[in-house]
Amino acid sequence: MNATPDRRSFIRAIGAVTAAGALAGCSGGESSDDSPATGSDSDVPEAVSSYLSDTDNFDGSLTDETDSDSVAVDVGVDANGGAFGFGPAAVKISTGTTVTWEWTGEGSQHNVVAEEGASFESEQTTEEGFTFEETFEETGVVTYYCTPHEGIGMKGALVVE
Ligand SMILES: [Cu+2]
């Protein structure tokens, strides 16, 4: 009967080790990257969980849209102290998928800007129903933010596989 508590503390210990590794920085060579995903937590890349660490509508998991050719992300969902979120914040998609960001009209000016390489950038607007889309052909992690609200956590991520 004591197997369950033992297992829980073991998992907690592993979590602490992972967090310590994240704090120490990316030293590379993480062998688990090549392992098949065994659960919803294990398939969240560290680049995503660290980037979204101050994004309060990121719940630590990816919304799995790998079966979809097109995916919608709302811009200006209730998060981060107002209508300052991307919803969902983190999505897993397949290559060739088109992501369409759609403005809710809430939370003042928003835009969608790729963090690394600046491969895409929408205009900044408050217009409800405004859309911006981008098709992702390469695998990898894409992180993006809203310029006016990046500092309060209006950020999102895509995992393309
Ligand atoms: Cu914004």
Side-chain angles (χ1 to χ4, degrees), residues 84 109-111 146 148-149 154:
F84 306 127
Q109 297 269 349
H110 301 300
N111 64 358
C146 164
H149 306 118
M154 186 165 178

Side-chain angles (χ1 to χ4, degrees), residues 82-156:
F84 306 127
F86 294 106
V91 186
K92 181 166 66 172
I93 63 175
S94 300
T95 52
T97 298
T98 299
V99 175
T100 302
W101 286 269
E102 181 166 353
W103 275 242
T104 63
E106 304 294 320
S108 78
Q109 297 269 349
H110 301 300
N111 64 358
V112 178
V113 183
E115 188 207 25
E116 283 172 25
S119 58
F120 57 85
E121 180 171 354
S122 78
E123 62 182 273
Q124 200 177 110
T125 180
T126 61
E127 183 190 339
E128 180 181 356
F130 182 83
T131 59
F132 173 72
E133 63 178 46
E134 183 77 13
T135 300
F136 297 89
E137 303 289 2
E138 292 178 18
T139 60
V141 171
V142 176
T143 51
Y144 64 91
Y145 59 90
C146 164
T147 304
H149 306 118
E150 179 186 17
I152 57 172
M154 186 165 178
K155 299 189 288 190

